[in-house]
Amino acid sequence: MKKLFTIIFCVATFQSLTSLAQPAYTDTSLYEENFRPNYMQSYRPAAVNTPVITQLKQISYQNSPYRTRLDAIQGDVQLDYNEFVQAYISNYTSASRRDEMGRIIGLTKYYFPIYEKAFKDAGIPDEIKYLSIVESALNPNAVSRVGATGPWQFMYSTAKIYGLDMNNYVDERRDPIQASYAAAAYLRDAYQEFGDWLLAIASYNCGKNSVERAMQQANAVDFWSIRQYLPAETRGYVPAFIATMYVMKYHNEHGIVPQACNITLNTDTVMVNKFISLNNIAKALSIDVNQLSLLNPSYTKRVINGTTKAPRRIVIPQIGKEQYPQLYAALNGEVVAPIQKVYTPQPEEAIAITAKTGTSHTVKRGETYSIIAGKYGIDEEDLRIWNNVKGKKPLPGQKLKVSAPNLAAGATKAGKELAAIGSAQGAGGN
C-alpha cells in the first residue's frame, strides 16, 4: 500500500510539473510585432528534480506521439522534443490560433518557393524556411519594436553587412527575394562558425557574440546546454521554430485548415531603368495597386527608383499578350488607356518569374553567379547562357547581361521561365 501511494504521488507530482513547464507569457494576438509570444518574463523550471520525477518526464517525452512525428520529419536541422517545444506546440494549435495558422499556411504558397530557391542556391537546409514564420508571420511589412524589418526581420546594420539597400525609396529588407538571400548568407556564416544549425538559428535572434558567450559560460557546444545562458527571448526562439515546423507539417492532426493565399501566385518580373509609379503601372494593367504593392513591398513610397546604372526589379501579376502595349507604355512614361480587364488571382498556380530587359550588372568582389541571379530574380542557368560563361566564378569588374539580349523594355517571356521555383538570407532582431 505504501509503495502504491508513492507511485501515485510521483505521477501526480510529474503532472503538476508538466503543467508548470510552460513559457510565462500572456499572448493577446498572433505575435503582435513579429509572431513571437511575449515570453520576456523568464521561465524558470520548478526546483523539484528528484531522480524519479526526471525519469518519469524522460519516459513521457520519449513515448510521445509528438516526438514520433518530429522524428519522421528530421532533416539536417535537429528537431528535439521536450517540455519547451511542447509548450509552443500547445499554444500554436490552440483553438484561438487555428484560423491564423491556417492563414499563414496559405501564405506559404507564395513565400516558400522564393525561400526554397534562395536556400538551395546557398546550400542552406530547406526546413529553415519556417524560421520566417517565427520572425514575421510571413509579413514583408513587419517592423519589430527595435526596428527589425521585413519577412526575415533584419536590423539595419546587419542588413547593410549582407548587401541589402535602404534609402528614401527602397528598403530591401522588405523584399522577400533579396532578404532571403541575405538571410541564407547569414545562416551559412553562422553555421560555419558554430557547426550546429540550432546554434546558427539562435544567433539569428540574439547575435553570434551572445551565442559565443553562452557557450563559454556553459562550457558546451549545443543549444539545450547553453540555453539558460542565452537572452530570455532566445531561450524560446529555437523551441518556437521547432514547434512552428511541427504545426506546418501536422496541421491536419490539430484541426487547422489551410486558407487560400491572398497573393497573386502567377507572376512576371520586369527590370525598370527609370523612376516609375506603381500607381501608373497598376492603372495601365487594370490591377489593384494594393496587390501590386504587396508583390513589391520594398518600394516604401510606391515608386520604383530605377536608373540605367542600377535598374530595379518589379514583380507584376502575369499578363496576356494583349496587355504588352499598356505595360510598355507605362514603363516608358506614356499615357495610355488601360485595358478593361481586371486580373483575378489564381491561388493554386505556381510562381513564374522571368527576366524582361536588356540591362547589365557589374560584378563586385565576392559575388557569385548564384548571388547575381538572385539579385535580379533570374535563373543562374539563364545568366550563364546569356553571357556565354562556363567558369565557376565571375571576375570583379566584369559586366554581365542580366536578361535576354535584344529584348525591348516591357517585353515578356525572355529566357528560361522559372515556373514553380519551389524545391529549393540576420538577422532577426540581433
Side-chain angles (χ1 to χ4, degrees), residues 23-46:
Y25 58 75
T26 55
D27 198 17
T28 58
S29 67
L30 188 72
Y31 296 156
E32 284 182 338
E33 292 184 282
N34 311 45
F35 187 70
R36 308 172 198 149
N38 181 19
Y39 44 72
M40 297 305 293
Q41 301 174 15
S42 301
Y43 159 68
R44 291 290 186 271

Side-chain angles (χ1 to χ4, degrees), residues 165 271-275 305-313 357-364 367 375-376 398-400 402:
D165 189 16
M271 299 306 297
V272 177
N273 59 7
K274 60 184 65 178
F275 279 58
N305 59 325
T307 64
T308 302
K309 291 185 178 180
R312 286 286 183 184
R313 177 183 62 241
T357 61
T359 55
S360 63
H361 173 83
T362 302
V363 179
K364 299 176 183 177
E367 286 187 326
K375 187 176 183 67
Y376 291 93
Q398 179 182 359
K399 283 196 173 183
L400 298 175
V402 291

Side-chain angles (χ1 to χ4, degrees), residues 407-420:
L407 190 66
T412 60
K413 299 301 180 190
K416 173 187 175 185
E417 182 172 291
L418 301 184

